[in-house]
Amino acid sequence: MINMSKWICYAVGYVFLTSGILKLVVSDFKATFMSVGLPFPETTLFLVAITEIACSAFILGRLYVKQAVALLILIILGAIFLTKLPILMNQGFLQFAFEARLDIVMLILLLLLWQHRPGKQL
């Protein structure tokens, strides 16, 4: 039977791998990065996408997990701050809770991986 930390690695790796790939191939993300006022939005988009792909690969391979998780925590916090908090301010809590549901779940899973010690059960 696969232990819980491996399942979490598979889930986190899957979400960030698909997210990173989509950022490279779907043009809607370029507009999103431009709309939030980031400097050099195309370069930032590329760096975020490559970081998500690389970190998810490390997590899926169970290599440098803590370092990969740290970078993904920064990315998910940035996503919540830049794209979800404006929803909270403008459309209210329920719309925010709905729009941020995956971000919040991924943040929780990343924090579980961050605190996990190899050899210990989650």
Side-chain angles (χ1 to χ4, degrees):
M1 181 167 183
I2 298 177
N3 69 27
M4 188 63 63
S5 66
K6 285 184 182 178
W7 283 114
I8 294 172
C9 284
Y10 296 150
V12 168
Y14 170 76
V15 169
F16 280 102
L17 182 63
T18 57
S19 176
I21 291 170
L22 283 174
K23 281 181 178 72
L24 294 177
V25 299
V26 175
S27 61
D28 289 353
F29 285 102
K30 197 178 296 184
T32 301
F33 273 64
M34 288 180 180
S35 72
V36 295
L38 291 171
F40 311 105
E42 289 186 28
T43 303
T44 304
L45 171 63
F46 179 76
L47 291 173
V48 168
I50 294 301
T51 301
E52 287 181 352
I53 292 167
C55 288
S56 65
F58 282 127
I59 290 171
L60 288 168
R62 313 266 303 171
L63 301 167
Y64 307 105
V65 172
K66 257 208 188 318
Q67 293 85 347
V69 164
L71 290 173
L72 292 176
I73 287 173
L74 290 175
I75 287 173
I76 203 78
L77 287 174
I80 292 169
F81 180 77
L82 293 171
T83 65
K84 302 309 186 293
L85 283 184
I87 294 171
L88 176 63
M89 300 306 189
N90 298 320
Q91 299 175 35
F93 178 76
L94 286 178
Q95 190 64 35
F96 163 79
F98 177 76
E99 296 290 336
R101 66 195 183 280
L102 180 61
D103 303 59
I104 291 168
V105 168
M106 294 313 298
L107 179 59
I108 291 167
L109 293 177
L110 287 167
L111 291 171
L112 284 172
L113 287 177
W114 173 259
Q115 65 87 34
H116 179 64
R117 304 284 182 258
K120 287 181 68 180
Q121 293 292 332
L122 282 179

